[in-house]
Amino acid sequence: MLDNPLNSSAISGDFNHRKYRPVATFNKSDRRWPDQVITKAPRWCSVDLRDGNQALVEPMNPEQKLDLFKLLVEVGFKEIEVGFPAASQPDFDFVRKIIEENLIPDDVSIQVLTQSREELISRSFEALTGAKKAIVHLYNSTSTVQREHVFGMSREQIKAIAVEGAVWVKQCAQQQPDTDWTFEYSPESFTGTEMEYAVEVCDAVTDIWQPTVEKPVIINLPSTVEMTTPNVYADQIEWVSDNIARRDCLQISLHTHNDRGCGVAAAELGLMAGADRAEGTLLGNGERTGNMDVITAAMNMYSQGIDPMLDFSNMDKIIKVVNQCTNITIHPRHPYAGELVFTAFSGSHQDAINKCLHRRQTNDVWDVAYLPIDPADLGRSYQEVIRINSQSGKGGIAYVLEQDYGVQMPRWLQVDFSRHVQHLAEQNEGEVSSKEIWQVFRETYIGSAQAIQLDGYQLTRQDNRDQLNATMILENKHVALSGNGQGALDAFVGGLTQLIGADVVITDYSEHTLGNSEQSDAIAYIQLSIDGQRYCGVGQSADIVEASLRAVLSACSRAQLVMSPLPKKA
């Protein structure tokens, strides 16, 4: 009997999982990192201008690189990898430009990357001549697959490459004593390297460099290709920290990639495992699926009350500059930075956000449903938080009208009005703007198309009773109304009941001003029961009594009590 193709675990063709094998997990039974929490920001190093640049279809030109460099400084990076000057003339020229034109702040170290080859190291130091503070980042690949399939070299031969490079770096630095040098070493493809061998190579390099507590060396442990789950990377970082020589004289650095979509998670767990430093790019640009996204990682800390030591308060500017320099458009759902990440279309989400924001006091700790941070912290406005489409509900519609037009609809009016916006959204088959919602609101409750209009009124008071005489316009005819009651509304509804013979009862009412000045209009909301059926109305006027009377007539118009000349019920 043939297998049901729908139940097959493999699809015909080249999509065949059987040609892969799981990466071996790291056997570590004494792990401590799961009990740790991140309490402070690491040393950040931006690699946008090197790792991010070499990943572009069209690498940045000198003007773009300078714009991005200035942005990185403005955001607050103190370590910036500015290029691979031995690999290309544009990178070399850019390094010279920012040094010779004194564009590097005194508290910022520029970093350059070089392979462990004498001529490349020499060229890198030539590019750095005259720099006040610089990091020379030396690397060579140590992984099993690189040793066996790319280089065809033994462990000892690969280690010798690293040691020779360390010697050349030290010698070149001694020839330029006026620069404050920091050395960094990466066993490239660290996550594909046997851990004891990775430590052996790093120890051999630091034997040459002889770091001290006052002058530490950076040991960068890159997830050059993300091969497994982030917890394994954390195990590796913790194991290296426990077994590497001169740990107190080292800064353990992370450089994660995002092949499995876990670049940020791996870096976070790596910091929990004891790392001191993290390399990445703004918005995660980098080879293949990218580097660690520094904005996401730093803002994750910020959302937990930790100072990220980087300033992302002008997020729109950051996005604009990065986009102009890389020609990469940011996804609208990109964490923290995307256009829609703080936007709710769902009705239940909108209602929860609206209620939380209404209850929140200015100095309260941030605790708002569905919003992990305050959008205003990133320069985003609250007008962007709730947007309306066919998935939205009454709470979102109410929020938009209040934010943009000052209308504070009571719940019963929200229920009544939401179906009108829902109908419009379904017709549009997309988002409904605030302006469109306001137009529908006015047409439904306030506009001149209402069947019954108030022409004028007079109100007098005698013996604690109010006498109201009003004139209404119905089908271009004037209709007089007179009533007596406890207050203008009571008198008006009483007179209306006598005039039309219907049973009119006020079931709910509220009012407020639409602004903060004495000249601001008043708006009144009313719900009437007319012969047992409920109808909502809204009135607006500079006079609160007139606004209330107009709200009553709005509800009557919506009840379709269009009777000329409003004869009494028989």
Side-chain angles (χ1 to χ4, degrees):
M1 184 176 181
L2 294 175
D3 290 339
N4 184 341
L6 295 179
N7 294 329
S8 175
S9 62
I11 299 174
S12 61
D14 294 331
F15 192 74
N16 181 9
H17 67 278
R18 293 183 178 88
K19 64 183 177 183
Y20 303 102
R21 62 180 183 273
V23 175
T25 57
F26 189 63
N27 186 18
K28 190 175 193 300
S29 60
D30 62 342
R31 58 181 61 89
R32 304 178 303 280
W33 62 263
D35 295 325
Q36 305 303 311
V37 294
I38 298 173
T39 58
K40 64 178 182 178
R43 289 171 56 185
W44 300 108
C45 176
S46 162
V47 294
D48 291 85
L49 296 172
R50 194 278 302 173
D51 209 340
N53 187 45
Q54 72 182 38
L56 300 176
V57 175
E58 296 181 8
M60 287 177 263
N61 59 41
E63 292 77 18
Q64 290 171 321
K65 290 197 78 169
L66 184 57
D67 286 344
L68 188 49
F69 177 76
K70 290 178 179 178
L71 176 70
L72 296 169
V73 170
E74 182 180 329
V75 165
F77 284 97
K78 303 304 179 186
E79 298 177 7
I80 302 172
E81 191 168 81
V82 292
F84 200 144
S88 72
Q89 191 64 42
D91 269 18
F92 186 94
D93 293 342
F94 177 72
V95 176
R96 294 308 311 149
K97 177 181 178 66
I98 59 176
I99 293 173
E100 291 172 359
E101 296 183 15
N102 199 29
L103 300 175
I104 308 166
D106 290 344
D107 62 345
V108 171
S109 295
I110 58 171
Q111 176 173 306
V112 300
L113 184 71
T114 179
Q115 290 173 311
S116 187
R117 289 164 50 188
E118 186 173 14
E119 68 277 14
L120 300 182
I121 293 169
S122 177
R123 179 70 167 165
S124 299
F125 275 90
E126 181 185 350
L128 291 169
T129 301
K132 296 176 183 177
K133 298 172 65 176
I135 301 170
V136 178
H137 184 180
L138 176 74
Y139 79 95
N140 68 302
S141 188
T142 60
S143 68
T144 306
V145 67
Q146 294 271 16
R147 295 195 315 264
E148 295 178 356
H149 298 300
V150 179
F151 304 122
M153 291 184 176
S154 67
R155 284 188 174 197
E156 286 302 316
Q157 289 173 312
I158 293 293
K159 182 171 70 171
I161 292 174
V163 171
E164 287 176 341
V167 171
W168 293 325
V169 165
K170 186 174 181 179
Q171 290 174 347
C172 288
Q174 289 171 343
Q175 295 169 16
Q176 298 185 39
D178 293 336
T179 297
D180 182 5
W181 297 106
T182 297
F183 300 153
E184 176 177 352
Y185 174 70
S186 287
E188 191 199 3
S189 301
F190 161 76
T191 48
T193 303
E194 305 89 337
M195 288 299 101
E196 72 282 356
Y197 177 62
V199 166
E200 179 183 334
V201 175
C202 291
D203 286 348
V205 169
T206 59
D207 276 344
I208 303 299
W209 287 342
Q210 289 295 306
T212 64
V213 173
E214 295 76 20
K215 193 68 175 174
V217 158
I218 300 168
I219 294 296
N220 190 54
L221 303 176
S223 175
T224 308
V225 176
E226 188 176 33
M227 303 170 68
T228 187
T229 50
N231 60 296
V232 176
Y233 186 62
D235 280 349
Q236 293 170 328
I237 299 301
E238 189 172 76
W239 190 90
V240 169
S241 292
D242 288 345
N243 290 276
I244 199 166
R246 309 176 182 86
R247 176 62 182 93
D248 59 338
C249 303
L250 304 178
Q251 290 281 306
I252 298 297
S253 177
L254 310 172
H255 182 112
T256 60
H257 278 258
N258 204 41
D259 300 87
R260 292 170 55 94
C262 301
V264 169
E268 289 178 327
L269 297 192
L271 292 173
M272 291 164 58
D276 310 292
R277 181 179 184 267
E279 298 184 346
T281 59
L282 297 175
L283 303 173
N285 176 44
E287 292 282 18
R288 303 179 310 281
T289 53
N291 292 105
M292 179 199 71
D293 181 343
V294 175
I295 288 178
T296 300
M299 289 306 302
N300 284 351
M301 297 177 194
Y302 181 84
S303 72
Q304 303 300 305
I306 300 169
D307 183 355
M309 307 302 290
L310 296 172
D311 182 0
F312 299 120
S313 59
N314 195 345
M315 186 63 74
D316 287 343
K317 177 183 178 181
I318 294 170
I319 293 168
K320 180 181 178 181
V321 174
V322 172
N323 174 256
Q324 289 175 344
C325 293
T326 64
N327 293 316
I328 296 176
T329 303
I330 184 174
H331 193 284
R333 299 292 183 185
H334 192 104
Y336 298 104
E339 177 189 355
L340 298 178
V341 294
F342 300 116
T343 299
F345 288 105
S346 161
S348 60
H349 289 202
Q350 292 172 343
D351 184 58
I353 291 169
N354 192 17
K355 288 174 180 175
C356 290
L357 290 176
H358 267 291
R359 293 173 181 172
R360 186 175 184 274
Q361 299 299 311
T362 301
N363 295 320
D364 285 352
V365 171
W366 185 257
D367 188 21
V368 176
Y370 300 110
L371 295 179
I373 68 163
D374 185 348
D377 293 350
L378 302 182
R380 300 288 171 82
S381 68
Y382 287 115
Q383 279 76 10
E384 299 168 324
V385 170
I386 292 178
R387 288 159 62 176
I388 307 302
N389 63 13
S390 61
Q391 305 299 308
S392 304
K394 59 186 182 299
I397 296 165
Y399 178 87
V400 168
L401 285 181
E402 181 173 359
Q403 289 294 308
D404 293 352
Y405 299 100
V407 173
Q408 301 171 19
M409 287 194 294
R411 178 177 171 78
W412 42 267
L413 185 59
Q414 294 176 26
V415 173
D416 187 75
F417 180 53
S418 62
R419 56 193 173 91
H420 297 277
V421 179
Q422 176 79 13
H423 178 67
L424 176 63
E426 291 172 353
Q427 284 185 323
N428 288 359
E429 296 183 346
E431 186 176 354
V432 180
S433 70
S434 171
K435 184 178 180 180
E436 289 174 313
I437 295 171
W438 176 236
Q439 182 179 349
V440 172
F441 182 81
R442 291 192 62 82
E443 289 174 353
T444 303
Y445 301 109
I446 303 177
S448 59
Q450 298 293 330
I452 313 172
Q453 299 287 329
L454 181 69
D455 187 46
Y457 76 94
Q458 287 183 335
L459 184 64
T460 58
R461 188 169 181 80
Q462 186 176 2
D463 299 330
N464 294 321
R465 300 282 292 179
D466 290 283
Q467 177 66 38
L468 184 137
N469 297 301
T471 304
M472 301 170 295
I473 300 174
L474 172 65
E475 296 181 354
N476 296 319
K477 296 179 182 179
H478 287 78
V479 179
L481 178 150
S482 179
N484 186 278
Q486 295 284 347
L489 262 182
D490 186 41
F492 188 57
V493 170
L496 189 63
T497 298
Q498 290 179 0
L499 182 65
I500 66 176
D503 186 16
V504 183
V505 178
I506 299 173
T507 58
D508 231 317
Y509 173 83
S510 66
E511 64 185 45
H512 64 84
T513 61
L514 285 172
N516 298 320
S517 70
E518 294 180 359
Q519 289 75 37
S520 298
D521 270 5
I523 190 166
Y525 316 101
I526 200 161
Q527 186 183 66
L528 299 181
S529 172
I530 303 176
D531 282 343
Q533 296 294 316
R534 295 195 176 191
Y535 303 94
C536 298
V538 180
Q540 182 179 342
S541 172
D543 172 13
I544 185 59
V545 174
E546 184 173 309
S548 301
L549 302 185
R550 287 182 175 179
V552 172
L553 294 182
S554 167
C556 290
S557 294
R558 300 192 64 241
Q560 297 181 340
L561 291 176
V562 185
M563 306 173 189
S564 181
L566 288 176
K568 290 185 179 181
K569 189 174 180 181

